[in-house]
Amino acid sequence: MKMIFNFISACICMMLLSCSKDPNPAPQPFRYSEQIVIDGIARTYIVKLPKNYYDSTKDRPLVIGLHGTGGSASQFETDYGFNDKADATGFVALYPDGVLKDDGRGFFEIRTWNAGSCCDYAMYNNINDVKFISTVIDAVCSRFAIDKKRVYVAGMSNGGMMTYRLASELPHKIAAIASVSGPMVAVKDLSLQGSVPIIHFHSIIDTKVPYNGGVGIGGVSFPPAIDGINYWVNRNGCDPVAMVHHYTNYEHSTWHNDFNNKVMELYLTYDGGHAWPGGKKARAGADDPSTAVNATNLIWEFLNKFSLP
């Protein structure tokens, strides 16, 4: 009788254990659409985890992608291949949205960043995008396994301009930046300190934001891209004389610091226009992307070399 009782008890225990384990657990999410309120304005962003994120608990690099004027977080995510690069290499991608003109009530719903002297609604209303990005970095780092010493920012056009401002004001949080077709339009404050490695891409035939400066899209006057690069060459303690290599469709310039580390790079393409080299054409009527280089691959190769002390 005792043996029968023990057998029945064991069977019940096995049944309970099997029932407690869900044979079809819900899949872990890899993409989050988030919202945060900054200075009374609801700001949005997308977090994309790499496909191997849940395979370990190790901290991952964070790459922030900033769209251009008229773009969006989802547009950057779709057009420039960072999700595929994240899956292949293991970083977490973060795509914030610029502030929406007229808080969404305007006829033209255009998102922009307050990068300094550009652009549009965000600049005219003095939107604190530095605070927004800084706060989002903290929020994402607190929720996900992020290596805080390896936070990077890449941006297109107005987003590229914003990367320069973030580097200037948040050098303690940003390990390196990449700008595509976006010169530095923030104040070049010589009193500021903090080294931030930079890679810049531009087409010599870009008429919307001319590489050599001048009047571009919307009648806006832009500074020469080399002005911002030279500011950072000095701030990063680099030899002011660049090493320049010429190729069929582009030229590649590099600057080295006192430790002979290559911390500044410039890819100047002879083809394309105001577009992401190697990326998708943003829309009908937009400039064709350069085919001389693949910006996404080169950006990750550059960013991945740097870490905050």
Side-chain angles (χ1 to χ4, degrees):
M1 186 71 178
K2 183 177 180 180
M3 291 178 62
I4 296 174
F5 177 78
N6 289 340
F7 175 76
I8 294 174
S9 297
C11 290
I12 292 173
C13 288
M14 291 178 65
M15 290 174 61
L16 290 174
L17 287 172
S18 64
C19 289
S20 65
K21 185 176 180 181
D22 188 348
N24 297 299
Q28 295 276 22
F30 286 89
R31 188 177 184 276
Y32 297 80
S33 295
E34 305 285 329
Q35 179 175 293
I36 193 169
V37 177
I38 303 294
D39 296 335
I41 303 173
R43 307 297 301 269
T44 52
Y45 59 94
I46 296 167
V47 178
K48 171 62 174 66
L49 305 179
K51 63 183 181 181
N52 65 353
Y53 178 81
Y54 297 106
D55 294 344
S56 75
T57 58
K58 71 176 183 178
D59 289 343
R60 310 303 185 103
L62 177 66
V63 179
I64 304 169
L66 304 180
H67 62 79
T69 296
S72 66
S74 58
Q75 172 268 317
F76 190 106
E77 180 185 25
T78 300
D79 289 348
Y80 305 141
F82 274 74
N83 281 359
D84 289 341
K85 183 60 65 176
D87 283 338
T89 62
F91 66 78
V92 174
L94 168 62
Y95 308 110
D97 277 310
V99 72
L100 194 61
K101 183 176 182 179
D102 294 333
D103 199 22
R105 294 186 293 272
F107 182 75
F108 297 105
E109 295 190 348
I110 297 175
R111 295 186 181 276
T112 53
W113 302 103
N114 180 11
S117 59
C118 186
C119 285
D120 198 59
Y121 181 83
M123 177 195 67
Y124 292 132
N125 289 273
N126 197 28
I127 300 299
N128 195 341
D129 281 320
V130 174
K131 180 179 179 181
F132 169 45
I133 299 300
S134 180
T135 304
V136 170
I137 290 173
D138 293 341
V140 172
C141 287
S142 69
R143 285 187 56 193
F144 302 101
I146 304 296
D147 184 347
K148 293 182 180 180
K149 293 185 176 182
R150 302 186 64 200
V151 176
Y152 312 110
V153 190
M156 170 66 195
S157 189
N158 179 212
M161 301 170 197
M162 190 66 207
T163 67
Y164 276 105
R165 183 167 190 178
L166 292 169
S168 190
E169 298 185 32
L170 298 177
H172 59 291
K173 285 189 174 183
I174 307 297
I177 68 163
S179 178
V180 176
S181 303
M184 183 176 182
V185 296
V187 175
K188 300 171 183 65
D189 189 343
L190 299 178
S191 69
L192 294 177
Q193 298 181 351
S195 177
V196 181
I198 294 171
I199 185 169
H200 187 109
F201 296 80
H202 225 113
S203 169
I204 195 66
I205 57 175
D206 185 343
T207 59
K208 293 181 173 66
V209 182
Y211 170 74
N212 289 315
V215 178
I217 189 169
V220 176
S221 182
F222 296 98
I226 198 65
D227 286 358
I229 293 170
N230 284 336
Y231 167 81
W232 280 100
V233 165
N234 178 68
R235 182 162 164 174
N236 284 333
C238 295
D239 185 333
V241 179
M243 297 179 62
V244 184
H245 295 87
H246 297 274
Y247 301 93
T248 303
N249 290 323
Y250 69 98
E251 62 185 63
H252 179 213
S253 302
T254 61
W255 291 262
H256 295 70
N257 63 13
D258 291 340
F259 302 99
N260 202 33
N261 294 322
K262 184 170 60 178
V263 296
M264 298 284 298
E265 294 192 45
L266 167 65
Y267 284 87
L268 186 61
T269 65
Y270 306 148
D271 67 338
H274 194 68
W276 189 278
K280 296 180 180 179
K281 190 171 182 176
R283 59 190 174 279
D287 291 349
D288 291 322
S290 168
T291 59
V293 296
N294 184 297
T296 300
N297 290 341
L298 290 169
I299 285 171
W300 174 243
E301 180 182 314
F302 178 82
L303 299 179
N304 192 37
K305 295 185 295 184
F306 301 102
S307 177
L308 292 175

